[in-house]
Amino acid sequence: MYILKLNPVFKDYIWGGTKLRDEYGFKSDLDKLAEGWMLSCHKDGENTVCNGEFSGKTLTEIINANPDFLGENGKKFEYFPILIKLIDAKNDLSVQVHPDNEYAMRVENEYGKTECWYILDCDEDAELIYGFNREISSDEFRKRIADNTFLETVNKVKVKKGDLFFIEAGTLHAIGKGILLAEIQQNSNTTYRIYDYGRVGADGKPRELHIDKAVEVTDLCPAKPYPVTEAFEENGAVKRLLSKCEYFTVYSVDVAEKACFNADGTSFHNVLILEGNAELVCGDTTLSLKKGDSVFVPANCGEYTIAGSFKSVFTRID
């Protein structure tokens, strides 16, 4: 048994920047690195493993051959449940919404998408869109899009490093320019674009909008507030619960010297290093980790330690 170190998958969407290359040191032939998919078994971008006996294989292949790696909580899902990204928004993303499981499985044949955003860095004046500023009707929803006054109805929120936003399926949202964040989400790539600032794609044509589907799935009201939790110390780490739902549990985990963890069979773990350097030890496996590294810890690994001075995002299923 050993820890799997993952190769990220990169996406070059038109709104992306270069921070993932410049600040994280990622290598890619793409001009823009809008997204790095750091934990993914999705068909649109699967991680491969870069260490040990499984080197070169996809994470999907490995889990299919070793379902116990998921743990009891992970095996409850029909598909691998989580997708984790780093997102660099040099420019505004489109205003969008994601469907819930029932609608997405019926219409798109994949999971819906509940997600959370953890702000890693941002420009001083950066903001994002999070729900509406008041309740509106579906007729007004359509009318505002048609007459280009849609942005008058949205809730704009100033952001700072360390902020957390929980975005339940059906919540209107958009990442604003100048924001770097980690996104932990259901394993889905279904997005309904509602408003796109009149931009055109690489083909010179306006990017597709999905108004009819969006009207069917969007909660036409302000987003629900999400509680902020206090940090606590545990086994050598300072932790803060960022988000917990049926699909994922996410902590920020900061370590000054050394911390102990236990993959006890209930769930796999993902550790994504955000700052600093670390050394992970589990049995005969020793891994040197740096900023931007992502590892998959199989659920039946048992106890392991991570030493060093680092900040990370830790994800599991409870």
Side-chain angles (χ1 to χ4, degrees):
M1 183 61 61
Y2 72 99
I3 311 296
L4 311 179
K5 189 175 180 181
L6 305 177
N7 290 312
V9 176
F10 298 108
K11 303 292 182 179
D12 61 347
Y13 304 129
I14 62 173
W15 42 261
T18 62
K19 289 181 179 178
L20 297 184
R21 178 184 290 111
D22 299 341
E23 299 182 16
Y24 284 78
F26 290 131
K27 307 295 184 183
S28 174
D29 293 333
L30 299 175
D31 182 29
K32 297 177 180 180
L33 299 186
E35 295 183 352
W37 291 20
M38 312 308 295
L39 176 67
S40 174
C41 291
H42 196 281
K43 60 182 176 58
D44 292 340
E46 298 187 64
N47 294 138
T48 55
V49 172
C50 59
N51 69 306
E53 64 178 289
F54 294 136
S55 183
K57 291 187 176 182
T58 67
L59 184 57
T60 303
E61 290 177 290
I62 296 166
I63 290 173
N64 286 343
N66 302 273
D68 286 345
F69 281 15
L70 291 172
E72 293 306 311
N73 295 339
K75 287 191 288 187
K76 295 176 184 177
F77 295 88
E78 183 179 358
Y79 305 106
F80 186 77
I82 297 174
L83 176 57
I84 297 177
K85 303 175 182 177
L86 292 174
I87 297 179
D88 173 24
K90 182 177 181 180
N91 293 297
D92 294 323
L93 274 70
S94 61
V95 183
Q96 54 193 234
V97 69
H98 308 300
D100 63 16
N101 285 342
E102 185 281 325
Y103 187 96
M105 290 300 294
R106 175 166 49 85
V107 177
E108 309 293 348
N109 196 34
E110 73 166 358
Y111 278 147
K113 190 172 173 183
T114 286
E115 61 192 10
C116 71
W117 293 338
Y118 182 45
I119 308 298
L120 306 181
D121 199 7
C122 60
D123 293 347
E124 185 175 351
D125 59 348
E127 61 183 18
L128 53 76
I129 292 172
Y130 186 52
F132 291 89
N133 55 28
R134 57 180 174 81
E135 189 168 340
I136 68 170
S137 67
S138 57
D139 287 341
E140 182 179 2
F141 185 92
R142 289 181 181 275
K143 180 179 180 297
R144 291 282 189 170
I145 295 170
D147 65 16
N148 203 34
T149 61
F150 184 73
L151 294 183
E152 295 177 10
T153 69
V154 304
N155 177 40
K156 295 182 179 181
V157 183
K158 297 284 187 182
V159 299
K160 63 183 184 302
K161 183 176 179 178
D163 283 347
L164 187 283
F165 295 87
F166 182 75
I167 302 156
E168 194 170 4
T171 303
L172 183 85
H173 61 277
I175 302 171
K177 64 181 179 180
I179 295 176
L180 177 70
L181 59 78
E183 178 177 279
I184 298 88
Q185 57 163 91
Q186 285 182 265
N187 183 13
S188 172
N189 202 26
T190 296
T191 295
Y192 297 150
R193 193 180 296 127
I194 298 168
Y195 184 87
D196 198 37
Y197 307 95
R199 289 183 293 202
V200 298
D203 59 2
K205 299 178 181 179
R207 298 203 298 168
E208 182 183 6
L209 301 181
H210 312 94
I211 307 305
D212 290 338
K213 290 180 178 179
V215 169
E216 291 185 321
V217 305
T218 304
D219 295 328
L220 302 176
C221 58
K224 301 173 185 176
Y226 197 72
V228 177
T229 60
E230 296 295 326
F232 62 96
E233 294 187 22
E234 183 179 71
N235 298 328
V238 176
K239 300 181 179 180
R240 181 164 73 95
L241 178 63
L242 299 178
S243 180
K244 184 173 183 178
C245 65
E246 62 183 301
Y247 310 112
F248 47 75
T249 298
V250 187
Y251 291 89
S252 65
V253 176
D254 298 348
V255 175
E257 295 182 354
K258 183 178 180 179
C260 301
F261 304 87
N262 186 15
D264 60 4
T266 59
S267 173
F268 64 88
H269 299 175
N270 177 259
V271 182
L272 174 59
I273 305 296
L274 302 177
E275 297 179 20
N277 297 279
E279 184 176 77
L280 187 154
V281 177
C282 179
D284 296 332
T285 299
T286 299
L287 281 178
S288 294
L289 303 176
K290 64 182 186 306
K291 181 176 180 176
D293 283 342
S294 174
V295 295
F296 177 91
V297 183
N300 46 4
C301 266
E303 294 184 354
Y304 62 99
T305 62
I306 311 179
S309 177
F310 65 93
K311 296 180 181 296
S312 65
V313 167
F314 178 99
T315 306
R316 56 170 287 142
I317 300 172
D318 287 333

